[in-house]
Amino acid sequence: SVDPLCLSRQVAVMDAVRSVLPGNEASQDVFRTRGGFETIVRLVIGVEGALGSADTAGAAASLLESAFALLATATDPNGRNLKSQAAMQRSLGEGSSGDLLTPPFAMDISFGDTVACGIPSPSTTNVTYLRDHGFYIEFASAIAATGVLDDVARARAVMNLALELIHPRLVLSPGGKRSNADKSPDAR
């Protein structure tokens, strides 16, 4: 049995790490080189079978949300606090300048060995590391092992977290139709 208090503490630690990464490039390298990504997978594996009670299911959902948020921050710490950008765009309304919801490139784009400034950023190195070390498969397998994908609503929530890593307007709607978040403001 998984202790919900333990899961809450793990969430707090991940959130603390996530708060440090954007302002400190060295911490992004340390996160990668000291097993930060592997630890995310181990924490998710530890949630296996935790969906039995409402308390542990809620704590497990928070852990998954924090894991996705930490992953997003470690791979693009400066520009993609996706939920904040989406909220800001909505609050600015139609007359705002620029499209905050459209990042200049997808999260998992590969630049190969060439980078504009000659030295890859830690976040670019982190993306390459994840791809080269099979992180995405391990992470998906760990999530599947929790049993969260057995329930359609929970599976949709996890898919939306994964899709937000690519772009905040990519979401699965409950009815299978395109969500309003993916429509232009004029089409609403």
Side-chain angles (χ1 to χ4, degrees):
S1 163
V2 178
D3 180 10
L5 181 59
C6 180
L7 292 177
S8 296
R9 289 179 180 151
Q10 292 170 344
V11 167
V13 169
M14 283 196 288
D15 290 346
V17 170
R18 185 171 48 101
S19 72
V20 171
L21 293 180
N24 187 333
E25 285 193 355
S27 68
Q28 296 166 38
D29 282 330
V30 168
F31 183 76
R32 178 188 63 256
T33 60
R34 295 297 181 199
F37 294 112
E38 291 79 3
T39 300
I40 291 173
V41 172
R42 283 193 298 274
L43 289 173
V44 173
I45 288 171
V47 176
E48 187 174 350
L51 302 176
S53 74
D55 289 341
T56 56
S62 294
L63 183 97
L64 286 175
E65 287 175 16
S66 288
F68 274 104
L70 181 54
L71 178 60
T73 302
T75 55
D76 193 6
N78 296 318
R80 300 276 305 276
N81 185 344
L82 306 179
K83 291 181 181 178
S84 295
Q85 285 185 356
M88 184 184 300
Q89 181 69 25
R90 282 190 298 276
S91 70
L92 293 174
E94 293 180 34
S96 64
S97 61
D99 182 6
L100 295 174
L101 294 177
T102 306
F105 52 84
M107 178 196 99
D108 198 13
I109 199 163
S110 176
F111 296 108
D113 291 335
T114 33
V115 176
C117 65
I119 300 172
S121 70
S123 59
T124 301
T125 303
N126 284 347
V127 170
T128 302
Y129 175 86
L130 294 176
R131 190 178 307 113
D132 291 349
H133 291 87
F135 172 83
Y136 296 114
I137 296 296
E138 294 297 324
F139 191 50
S141 296
I143 291 170
T146 66
V148 72
L149 301 177
D150 296 343
D151 177 77
V152 174
R154 289 179 182 157
R156 184 178 295 112
V158 170
M159 279 300 302
N160 283 335
L161 289 170
L163 289 170
E164 278 185 11
L165 288 174
I166 300 167
H167 194 280
R169 291 173 27 179
L170 291 175
V171 293
L172 297 174
S173 64
K177 296 180 181 179
R178 209 169 108 171
S179 169
N180 282 340
D182 198 27
K183 295 179 183 173
S184 70
D186 299 331
R188 292 184 195 159

